[in-house]
Amino acid sequence: MHLEHLNLVVNDLEETLVFYQAAFPHWRVRGGGESIWHGTPRRWLHFGDDYHYLSLNDSGTGEVRDLKSNAIGLAHFAYVVDNIEALILRLAKVGYEVAIMGALNEAYMSRYFIDPNGFEVEFVEYLTDIPTERNQYDE
């Protein structure tokens, strides 16, 4: 089992693509188009590889949930990357800095970014391939 895609309503497709293209330079726009969603015209596209993608839909309104609150909604989503330092540099080149440092230990390191729409995205680099070392929980 694996997650195929996330469907995100965003403010601006182009601005959102800048962020995710820097994060995932090996992904591509798989396709897109225009549609009407509950009476509102919108543009959409699928950005990803052959197995996983982000479905991005413009004409978003309102604000994402306050990330410092306990409000119901998406807190963050996470991707495993091979080289977190390279990802940090790519995102810095397009104007995005680490929002939260996250974990750094012998098994993994993580960094959180806020995308152009206010979504918190975690990136994790595992430093071991042993699951029991990756999945440590403080008691």
PDB file of all heavy atoms in Angstrom, residues 69-100:
ATOM      1  N   SER A  69      -2.393  26.106  16.501  1.00  0.00           N
ATOM      2  CA  SER A  69      -3.634  25.862  17.238  1.00  0.00           C
ATOM      3  C   SER A  69      -3.927  24.372  17.299  1.00  0.00           C
ATOM      4  O   SER A  69      -3.213  23.557  16.724  1.00  0.00           O
ATOM      5  CB  SER A  69      -4.803  26.565  16.543  1.00  0.00           C
ATOM      6  OG  SER A  69      -5.183  25.852  15.377  1.00  0.00           O
ATOM      7  N   ASN A  70      -5.001  24.051  17.971  1.00  0.00           N
ATOM      8  CA  ASN A  70      -5.503  22.682  18.015  1.00  0.00           C
ATOM      9  C   ASN A  70      -6.734  22.521  17.139  1.00  0.00           C
ATOM     10  O   ASN A  70      -7.509  21.579  17.306  1.00  0.00           O
ATOM     11  CB  ASN A  70      -5.832  22.279  19.454  1.00  0.00           C
ATOM     12  CG  ASN A  70      -4.574  22.091  20.272  1.00  0.00           C
ATOM     13  OD1 ASN A  70      -3.614  21.497  19.805  1.00  0.00           O
ATOM     14  ND2 ASN A  70      -4.567  22.619  21.476  1.00  0.00           N
ATOM     15  N   ALA A  71      -6.925  23.437  16.199  1.00  0.00           N
ATOM     16  CA  ALA A  71      -8.076  23.369  15.298  1.00  0.00           C
ATOM     17  C   ALA A  71      -7.987  22.110  14.440  1.00  0.00           C
ATOM     18  O   ALA A  71      -6.902  21.674  14.056  1.00  0.00           O
ATOM     19  CB  ALA A  71      -8.118  24.611  14.409  1.00  0.00           C
ATOM     20  N   ILE A  72      -9.137  21.555  14.128  1.00  0.00           N
ATOM     21  CA  ILE A  72      -9.201  20.387  13.268  1.00  0.00           C
ATOM     22  C   ILE A  72      -8.701  20.762  11.881  1.00  0.00           C
ATOM     23  O   ILE A  72      -8.954  21.863  11.397  1.00  0.00           O
ATOM     24  CB  ILE A  72     -10.639  19.847  13.198  1.00  0.00           C
ATOM     25  CG1 ILE A  72     -11.036  19.279  14.561  1.00  0.00           C
ATOM     26  CG2 ILE A  72     -10.786  18.808  12.097  1.00  0.00           C
ATOM     27  CD1 ILE A  72     -12.474  18.852  14.650  1.00  0.00           C
ATOM     28  N   GLY A  73      -8.010  19.864  11.259  1.00  0.00           N
ATOM     29  CA  GLY A  73      -7.516  20.096   9.908  1.00  0.00           C
ATOM     30  C   GLY A  73      -6.136  19.491   9.739  1.00  0.00           C
ATOM     31  O   GLY A  73      -5.591  18.850  10.634  1.00  0.00           O
ATOM     32  N   LEU A  74      -5.578  19.718   8.597  1.00  0.00           N
ATOM     33  CA  LEU A  74      -4.269  19.181   8.268  1.00  0.00           C
ATOM     34  C   LEU A  74      -3.191  19.890   9.083  1.00  0.00           C
ATOM     35  O   LEU A  74      -3.078  21.117   9.032  1.00  0.00           O
ATOM     36  CB  LEU A  74      -4.003  19.369   6.771  1.00  0.00           C
ATOM     37  CG  LEU A  74      -2.669  18.869   6.247  1.00  0.00           C
ATOM     38  CD1 LEU A  74      -2.601  17.354   6.299  1.00  0.00           C
ATOM     39  CD2 LEU A  74      -2.451  19.366   4.830  1.00  0.00           C
ATOM     40  N   ALA A  75      -2.405  19.141   9.833  1.00  0.00           N
ATOM     41  CA  ALA A  75      -1.300  19.728  10.592  1.00  0.00           C
ATOM     42  C   ALA A  75      -0.068  19.847   9.691  1.00  0.00           C
ATOM     43  O   ALA A  75       0.527  20.909   9.581  1.00  0.00           O
ATOM     44  CB  ALA A  75      -0.991  18.894  11.830  1.00  0.00           C
ATOM     45  N   HIS A  76       0.331  18.762   9.067  1.00  0.00           N
ATOM     46  CA  HIS A  76       1.411  18.783   8.082  1.00  0.00           C
ATOM     47  C   HIS A  76       1.411  17.459   7.339  1.00  0.00           C
ATOM     48  O   HIS A  76       0.747  16.517   7.740  1.00  0.00           O
ATOM     49  CB  HIS A  76       2.786  19.051   8.726  1.00  0.00           C
ATOM     50  CG  HIS A  76       3.353  17.915   9.518  1.00  0.00           C
ATOM     51  ND1 HIS A  76       3.160  17.786  10.869  1.00  0.00           N
ATOM     52  CD2 HIS A  76       4.119  16.859   9.153  1.00  0.00           C
ATOM     53  CE1 HIS A  76       3.785  16.710  11.301  1.00  0.00           C
ATOM     54  NE2 HIS A  76       4.367  16.115  10.275  1.00  0.00           N
ATOM     55  N   PHE A  77       2.163  17.422   6.252  1.00  0.00           N
ATOM     56  CA  PHE A  77       2.419  16.157   5.573  1.00  0.00           C
ATOM     57  C   PHE A  77       3.918  16.060   5.362  1.00  0.00           C
ATOM     58  O   PHE A  77       4.629  17.068   5.410  1.00  0.00           O
ATOM     59  CB  PHE A  77       1.615  15.990   4.278  1.00  0.00           C
ATOM     60  CG  PHE A  77       1.687  17.138   3.309  1.00  0.00           C
ATOM     61  CD1 PHE A  77       2.552  17.099   2.223  1.00  0.00           C
ATOM     62  CD2 PHE A  77       0.855  18.244   3.447  1.00  0.00           C
ATOM     63  CE1 PHE A  77       2.595  18.142   1.314  1.00  0.00           C
ATOM     64  CE2 PHE A  77       0.889  19.292   2.534  1.00  0.00           C
ATOM     65  CZ  PHE A  77       1.772  19.240   1.464  1.00  0.00           C
ATOM     66  N   ALA A  78       4.415  14.840   5.190  1.00  0.00           N
ATOM     67  CA  ALA A  78       5.858  14.632   5.183  1.00  0.00           C
ATOM     68  C   ALA A  78       6.286  13.764   4.010  1.00  0.00           C
ATOM     69  O   ALA A  78       5.558  12.874   3.578  1.00  0.00           O
ATOM     70  CB  ALA A  78       6.293  13.972   6.492  1.00  0.00           C
ATOM     71  N   TYR A  79       7.500  14.068   3.529  1.00  0.00           N
ATOM     72  CA  TYR A  79       8.136  13.283   2.478  1.00  0.00           C
ATOM     73  C   TYR A  79       9.517  12.850   2.935  1.00  0.00           C
ATOM     74  O   TYR A  79      10.244  13.622   3.571  1.00  0.00           O
ATOM     75  CB  TYR A  79       8.300  14.122   1.199  1.00  0.00           C
ATOM     76  CG  TYR A  79       7.014  14.339   0.463  1.00  0.00           C
ATOM     77  CD1 TYR A  79       6.298  15.515   0.613  1.00  0.00           C
ATOM     78  CD2 TYR A  79       6.513  13.360  -0.394  1.00  0.00           C
ATOM     79  CE1 TYR A  79       5.110  15.708  -0.065  1.00  0.00           C
ATOM     80  CE2 TYR A  79       5.329  13.558  -1.073  1.00  0.00           C
ATOM     81  CZ  TYR A  79       4.633  14.725  -0.903  1.00  0.00           C
ATOM     82  OH  TYR A  79       3.455  14.928  -1.569  1.00  0.00           O
ATOM     83  N   VAL A  80       9.889  11.635   2.589  1.00  0.00           N
ATOM     84  CA  VAL A  80      11.239  11.143   2.819  1.00  0.00           C
ATOM     85  C   VAL A  80      12.093  11.578   1.633  1.00  0.00           C
ATOM     86  O   VAL A  80      11.687  11.411   0.481  1.00  0.00           O
ATOM     87  CB  VAL A  80      11.255   9.600   2.952  1.00  0.00           C
ATOM     88  CG1 VAL A  80      12.684   9.084   3.073  1.00  0.00           C
ATOM     89  CG2 VAL A  80      10.416   9.166   4.148  1.00  0.00           C
ATOM     90  N   VAL A  81      13.257  12.140   1.927  1.00  0.00           N
ATOM     91  CA  VAL A  81      14.185  12.585   0.886  1.00  0.00           C
ATOM     92  C   VAL A  81      15.537  11.920   1.116  1.00  0.00           C
ATOM     93  O   VAL A  81      15.849  11.474   2.223  1.00  0.00           O
ATOM     94  CB  VAL A  81      14.326  14.120   0.863  1.00  0.00           C
ATOM     95  CG1 VAL A  81      12.996  14.776   0.526  1.00  0.00           C
ATOM     96  CG2 VAL A  81      14.862  14.656   2.175  1.00  0.00           C
ATOM     97  N   ASP A  82      16.341  11.857   0.055  1.00  0.00           N
ATOM     98  CA  ASP A  82      17.661  11.230   0.149  1.00  0.00           C
ATOM     99  C   ASP A  82      18.726  12.171   0.687  1.00  0.00           C
ATOM    100  O   ASP A  82      19.710  11.711   1.265  1.00  0.00           O
ATOM    101  CB  ASP A  82      18.108  10.722  -1.230  1.00  0.00           C
ATOM    102  CG  ASP A  82      17.237   9.581  -1.724  1.00  0.00           C
ATOM    103  OD1 ASP A  82      16.718   8.810  -0.891  1.00  0.00           O
ATOM    104  OD2 ASP A  82      17.072   9.470  -2.947  1.00  0.00           O
ATOM    105  N   ASN A  83      18.560  13.476   0.473  1.00  0.00           N
ATOM    106  CA  ASN A  83      19.590  14.436   0.858  1.00  0.00           C
ATOM    107  C   ASN A  83      18.910  15.726   1.326  1.00  0.00           C
ATOM    108  O   ASN A  83      18.596  16.592   0.513  1.00  0.00           O
ATOM    109  CB  ASN A  83      20.528  14.706  -0.327  1.00  0.00           C
ATOM    110  CG  ASN A  83      21.675  15.598   0.027  1.00  0.00           C
ATOM    111  OD1 ASN A  83      21.607  16.414   0.943  1.00  0.00           O
ATOM    112  ND2 ASN A  83      22.754  15.476  -0.715  1.00  0.00           N
ATOM    113  N   ILE A  84      18.707  15.828   2.619  1.00  0.00           N
ATOM    114  CA  ILE A  84      17.958  16.969   3.149  1.00  0.00           C
ATOM    115  C   ILE A  84      18.735  18.275   3.003  1.00  0.00           C
ATOM    116  O   ILE A  84      18.139  19.332   2.781  1.00  0.00           O
ATOM    117  CB  ILE A  84      17.520  16.709   4.610  1.00  0.00           C
ATOM    118  CG1 ILE A  84      16.318  17.584   4.957  1.00  0.00           C
ATOM    119  CG2 ILE A  84      18.665  16.909   5.589  1.00  0.00           C
ATOM    120  CD1 ILE A  84      15.545  17.126   6.162  1.00  0.00           C
ATOM    121  N   GLU A  85      20.051  18.225   3.085  1.00  0.00           N
ATOM    122  CA  GLU A  85      20.846  19.455   2.946  1.00  0.00           C
ATOM    123  C   GLU A  85      20.705  20.021   1.531  1.00  0.00           C
ATOM    124  O   GLU A  85      20.585  21.234   1.349  1.00  0.00           O
ATOM    125  CB  GLU A  85      22.306  19.204   3.298  1.00  0.00           C
ATOM    126  CG  GLU A  85      22.536  18.896   4.767  1.00  0.00           C
ATOM    127  CD  GLU A  85      22.061  19.988   5.718  1.00  0.00           C
ATOM    128  OE1 GLU A  85      22.132  21.184   5.363  1.00  0.00           O
ATOM    129  OE2 GLU A  85      21.615  19.642   6.829  1.00  0.00           O
ATOM    130  N   ALA A  86      20.696  19.160   0.512  1.00  0.00           N
ATOM    131  CA  ALA A  86      20.506  19.622  -0.866  1.00  0.00           C
ATOM    132  C   ALA A  86      19.115  20.220  -1.038  1.00  0.00           C
ATOM    133  O   ALA A  86      18.948  21.243  -1.707  1.00  0.00           O
ATOM    134  CB  ALA A  86      20.725  18.473  -1.849  1.00  0.00           C
ATOM    135  N   LEU A  87      18.113  19.610  -0.424  1.00  0.00           N
ATOM    136  CA  LEU A  87      16.751  20.141  -0.489  1.00  0.00           C
ATOM    137  C   LEU A  87      16.675  21.519   0.157  1.00  0.00           C
ATOM    138  O   LEU A  87      16.076  22.437  -0.401  1.00  0.00           O
ATOM    139  CB  LEU A  87      15.785  19.177   0.204  1.00  0.00           C
ATOM    140  CG  LEU A  87      14.352  19.691   0.274  1.00  0.00           C
ATOM    141  CD1 LEU A  87      13.383  18.667  -0.252  1.00  0.00           C
ATOM    142  CD2 LEU A  87      13.997  20.111   1.675  1.00  0.00           C
ATOM    143  N   ILE A  88      17.303  21.686   1.305  1.00  0.00           N
ATOM    144  CA  ILE A  88      17.303  22.980   1.990  1.00  0.00           C
ATOM    145  C   ILE A  88      17.923  24.042   1.094  1.00  0.00           C
ATOM    146  O   ILE A  88      17.397  25.161   0.988  1.00  0.00           O
ATOM    147  CB  ILE A  88      18.047  22.871   3.344  1.00  0.00           C
ATOM    148  CG1 ILE A  88      17.237  22.008   4.316  1.00  0.00           C
ATOM    149  CG2 ILE A  88      18.335  24.246   3.923  1.00  0.00           C
ATOM    150  CD1 ILE A  88      17.997  21.582   5.564  1.00  0.00           C
ATOM    151  N   LEU A  89      19.009  23.725   0.427  1.00  0.00           N
ATOM    152  CA  LEU A  89      19.664  24.682  -0.475  1.00  0.00           C
ATOM    153  C   LEU A  89      18.779  25.026  -1.669  1.00  0.00           C
ATOM    154  O   LEU A  89      18.684  26.191  -2.064  1.00  0.00           O
ATOM    155  CB  LEU A  89      21.003  24.127  -0.956  1.00  0.00           C
ATOM    156  CG  LEU A  89      22.103  24.048   0.104  1.00  0.00           C
ATOM    157  CD1 LEU A  89      23.337  23.339  -0.461  1.00  0.00           C
ATOM    158  CD2 LEU A  89      22.452  25.429   0.637  1.00  0.00           C
ATOM    159  N   ARG A  90      18.127  24.014  -2.260  1.00  0.00           N
ATOM    160  CA  ARG A  90      17.238  24.277  -3.403  1.00  0.00           C
ATOM    161  C   ARG A  90      16.086  25.189  -3.013  1.00  0.00           C
ATOM    162  O   ARG A  90      15.742  26.120  -3.738  1.00  0.00           O
ATOM    163  CB  ARG A  90      16.700  22.966  -3.984  1.00  0.00           C
ATOM    164  CG  ARG A  90      17.719  22.137  -4.728  1.00  0.00           C
ATOM    165  CD  ARG A  90      17.074  21.008  -5.533  1.00  0.00           C
ATOM    166  NE  ARG A  90      16.151  20.184  -4.783  1.00  0.00           N
ATOM    167  CZ  ARG A  90      16.485  19.085  -4.106  1.00  0.00           C
ATOM    168  NH1 ARG A  90      17.750  18.680  -4.065  1.00  0.00           N
ATOM    169  NH2 ARG A  90      15.558  18.375  -3.484  1.00  0.00           N
ATOM    170  N   LEU A  91      15.484  24.933  -1.845  1.00  0.00           N
ATOM    171  CA  LEU A  91      14.370  25.771  -1.401  1.00  0.00           C
ATOM    172  C   LEU A  91      14.848  27.171  -1.033  1.00  0.00           C
ATOM    173  O   LEU A  91      14.144  28.155  -1.297  1.00  0.00           O
ATOM    174  CB  LEU A  91      13.631  25.108  -0.238  1.00  0.00           C
ATOM    175  CG  LEU A  91      12.736  23.935  -0.659  1.00  0.00           C
ATOM    176  CD1 LEU A  91      12.227  23.169   0.550  1.00  0.00           C
ATOM    177  CD2 LEU A  91      11.572  24.413  -1.511  1.00  0.00           C
ATOM    178  N   ALA A  92      16.032  27.298  -0.469  1.00  0.00           N
ATOM    179  CA  ALA A  92      16.572  28.626  -0.146  1.00  0.00           C
ATOM    180  C   ALA A  92      16.786  29.442  -1.419  1.00  0.00           C
ATOM    181  O   ALA A  92      16.534  30.650  -1.431  1.00  0.00           O
ATOM    182  CB  ALA A  92      17.879  28.488   0.630  1.00  0.00           C
ATOM    183  N   LYS A  93      17.201  28.790  -2.500  1.00  0.00           N
ATOM    184  CA  LYS A  93      17.428  29.503  -3.770  1.00  0.00           C
ATOM    185  C   LYS A  93      16.150  30.130  -4.314  1.00  0.00           C
ATOM    186  O   LYS A  93      16.209  31.096  -5.069  1.00  0.00           O
ATOM    187  CB  LYS A  93      18.012  28.558  -4.819  1.00  0.00           C
ATOM    188  CG  LYS A  93      19.470  28.289  -4.646  1.00  0.00           C
ATOM    189  CD  LYS A  93      19.992  27.413  -5.766  1.00  0.00           C
ATOM    190  CE  LYS A  93      21.449  27.099  -5.570  1.00  0.00           C
ATOM    191  NZ  LYS A  93      21.965  26.225  -6.638  1.00  0.00           N
ATOM    192  N   VAL A  94      14.996  29.570  -3.971  1.00  0.00           N
ATOM    193  CA  VAL A  94      13.731  30.141  -4.447  1.00  0.00           C
ATOM    194  C   VAL A  94      12.989  30.881  -3.335  1.00  0.00           C
ATOM    195  O   VAL A  94      11.802  31.175  -3.452  1.00  0.00           O
ATOM    196  CB  VAL A  94      12.825  29.076  -5.128  1.00  0.00           C
ATOM    197  CG1 VAL A  94      13.483  28.556  -6.398  1.00  0.00           C
ATOM    198  CG2 VAL A  94      12.455  27.948  -4.182  1.00  0.00           C
ATOM    199  N   GLY A  95      13.705  31.169  -2.232  1.00  0.00           N
ATOM    200  CA  GLY A  95      13.162  32.058  -1.215  1.00  0.00           C
ATOM    201  C   GLY A  95      12.500  31.422  -0.010  1.00  0.00           C
ATOM    202  O   GLY A  95      11.811  32.114   0.740  1.00  0.00           O
ATOM    203  N   TYR A  96      12.709  30.133   0.226  1.00  0.00           N
ATOM    204  CA  TYR A  96      12.067  29.468   1.363  1.00  0.00           C
ATOM    205  C   TYR A  96      13.113  28.995   2.361  1.00  0.00           C
ATOM    206  O   TYR A  96      14.070  28.336   2.000  1.00  0.00           O
ATOM    207  CB  TYR A  96      11.213  28.277   0.892  1.00  0.00           C
ATOM    208  CG  TYR A  96      10.042  28.739   0.079  1.00  0.00           C
ATOM    209  CD1 TYR A  96      10.136  28.852  -1.299  1.00  0.00           C
ATOM    210  CD2 TYR A  96       8.864  29.110   0.702  1.00  0.00           C
ATOM    211  CE1 TYR A  96       9.065  29.314  -2.049  1.00  0.00           C
ATOM    212  CE2 TYR A  96       7.791  29.570  -0.045  1.00  0.00           C
ATOM    213  CZ  TYR A  96       7.902  29.670  -1.409  1.00  0.00           C
ATOM    214  OH  TYR A  96       6.841  30.127  -2.140  1.00  0.00           O
ATOM    215  N   GLU A  97      12.890  29.367   3.614  1.00  0.00           N
ATOM    216  CA  GLU A  97      13.797  28.995   4.699  1.00  0.00           C
ATOM    217  C   GLU A  97      13.131  27.951   5.587  1.00  0.00           C
ATOM    218  O   GLU A  97      11.903  27.843   5.630  1.00  0.00           O
ATOM    219  CB  GLU A  97      14.160  30.222   5.530  1.00  0.00           C
ATOM    220  CG  GLU A  97      14.874  31.309   4.744  1.00  0.00           C
ATOM    221  CD  GLU A  97      16.216  30.867   4.168  1.00  0.00           C
ATOM    222  OE1 GLU A  97      16.912  30.066   4.825  1.00  0.00           O
ATOM    223  OE2 GLU A  97      16.551  31.314   3.051  1.00  0.00           O
ATOM    224  N   VAL A  98      13.942  27.220   6.322  1.00  0.00           N
ATOM    225  CA  VAL A  98      13.439  26.239   7.282  1.00  0.00           C
ATOM    226  C   VAL A  98      12.584  26.965   8.312  1.00  0.00           C
ATOM    227  O   VAL A  98      13.014  27.967   8.888  1.00  0.00           O
ATOM    228  CB  VAL A  98      14.607  25.499   7.972  1.00  0.00           C
ATOM    229  CG1 VAL A  98      14.096  24.603   9.085  1.00  0.00           C
ATOM    230  CG2 VAL A  98      15.416  24.693   6.956  1.00  0.00           C
ATOM    231  N   ALA A  99      11.376  26.465   8.533  1.00  0.00           N
ATOM    232  CA  ALA A  99      10.467  27.061   9.523  1.00  0.00           C
ATOM    233  C   ALA A  99      10.670  26.429  10.904  1.00  0.00           C
ATOM    234  O   ALA A  99      10.620  27.113  11.916  1.00  0.00           O
ATOM    235  CB  ALA A  99       9.018  26.895   9.086  1.00  0.00           C
ATOM    236  N   ILE A 100      10.892  25.116  10.920  1.00  0.00           N
ATOM    237  CA  ILE A 100      11.108  24.380  12.169  1.00  0.00           C
ATOM    238  C   ILE A 100      12.250  23.403  11.919  1.00  0.00           C
ATOM    239  O   ILE A 100      12.239  22.666  10.923  1.00  0.00           O
ATOM    240  CB  ILE A 100       9.842  23.602  12.607  1.00  0.00           C
ATOM    241  CG1 ILE A 100       8.674  24.569  12.817  1.00  0.00           C
ATOM    242  CG2 ILE A 100      10.103  22.782  13.864  1.00  0.00           C
ATOM    243  CD1 ILE A 100       7.332  23.871  13.028  1.00  0.00           C
TER     244      ILE A 100
END
